Amino acid sequence: MKNAVIIYFSNTGNTEKVAEVVKNGLEEENFDVNLRPVNEVDGIEFFDYDLVCVGSPSYNWMPPDDLSDFLKKKFKEYEDDGFVKLKAPQVEGRNTFIFCTYSGPHTGKNEAIPVVKYIGQFFEHLGFNIVDEMYVLSEMVGSKKYNTQGKMGDIRGLPAQKDLEVVKTRVKKLAKRI
Ligand SMILES: Cc1cc2nc3c(=O)[nH]c(=O)nc-3n(C[C@H](O)[C@H](O)[C@H](O)COP(=O)(O)O)c2cc1C
């Protein structure tokens, strides 16, 4: 049985909603899944998993500090142990999937792209293969102005059920490639 860990940050529930769908999709493809908010990740070893999923909101077009700090801390440990090599050779069978929920009020998806690319670098530097990346448009909970007058139009109530189904379909597809 393949295994996966999903590490995520979520303050207003959007990323958690997506993380749960990612979990369901992977389980339907027979993965053993460990779902962890980033404040409950003590003892996690990335290399113990066939697939490491990381879910983040966009906070000023970067991951929130809690998530960045965790990734930096883990990276430093791996670096100290000699796992960060020049030219980042791929490690067989180690994969990463990154997803970002964002509201894009000013510049749309561009506010989420740096989040995903930044997170991805921690894993690519360790030799993980980035199997997929997903950007999920989501409401900014509690901000009517940002949810109705921003670049992405009316985003109230997102992600909707159909958006979550898109996530699940995509996750099931990537799971088959691992
Ligand atoms: C402090 C803060 C900063 C944010 N900055 C951005 C941003 O720069 N770009 C963006 O697209 N969305 C931004 N958002 C919206 C969130 O990324 C979005 O609502 C996300 O889905 C929240 O995830 P969560 O419900 O899992 O906490 C911000 C939200 C907060 C609370």
Side-chain angles (χ1 to χ4, degrees):
M1 195 182 214
K2 304 268 182 188
N3 68 355
V5 63
I6 306 168
I7 299 163
Y8 70 95
F9 174 98
S10 186
N11 186 43
T12 54
N14 295 332
T15 315
E16 183 167 53
K17 229 182 258 175
V18 177
E20 277 162 5
V21 169
V22 171
K23 179 177 190 279
N24 294 340
L26 290 172
E27 284 178 344
E28 285 180 20
E29 295 302 319
N30 294 318
F31 274 66
D32 180 33
V33 184
N34 184 1
L35 179 70
R36 298 279 194 102
V38 73
N39 58 352
E40 292 173 25
V41 283
D42 278 357
I44 287 278
E45 286 303 339
F46 298 158
F47 288 92
D48 287 348
Y49 294 91
D50 299 296
L51 175 66
V52 179
C53 308
V54 181
S56 176
S58 168
Y59 271 20
N60 303 313
W61 56 94
M62 284 297 277
D65 288 345
D66 285 10
L67 188 55
S68 297
D69 290 349
F70 163 71
L71 292 169
K72 284 184 205 161
K73 181 171 149 273
K74 286 304 291 179
F75 189 76
K76 172 83 171 59
E77 284 170 22
Y78 289 126
E79 199 171 32
D80 290 348
D81 290 342
F83 285 88
V84 181
K85 302 193 178 92
L86 282 176
K87 301 187 194 169
Q90 263 203 11
V91 180
E92 181 71 27
R94 301 297 91 169
N95 301 284
T96 306
F97 167 55
I98 303 151
F99 55 97
C100 178
T101 70
Y102 72 103
S103 303
H106 300 100
T107 64
K109 188 176 167 185
N110 285 348
E111 301 187 46
I113 290 172
V115 178
V116 168
K117 297 299 176 190
Y118 180 69
I119 294 170
Q121 279 311 294
F122 288 94
F123 292 91
E124 215 179 334
H125 274 69
L126 293 172
F128 280 61
N129 173 39
I130 312 284
V131 280
D132 207 354
E133 300 171 340
M134 272 199 93
Y135 299 89
V136 183
L137 185 61
S138 303
E139 75 172 315
M140 197 181 293
V141 174
S143 174
K144 183 155 187 231
K145 182 175 158 200
Y146 277 48
N147 285 328
T148 56
Q149 295 173 39
K151 184 165 172 97
M152 310 308 285
D154 189 342
I155 59 168
R156 287 174 291 183
L158 300 187
Q161 194 53 39
K162 69 172 177 29
D163 305 314
L164 296 172
E165 274 155 26
V166 169
V167 172
K168 192 163 171 186
T169 303
R170 189 115 151 226
V171 166
K172 285 170 69 87
K173 203 179 255 181
L174 76 85
K176 289 187 188 13
R177 299 203 302 269
I178 291 168

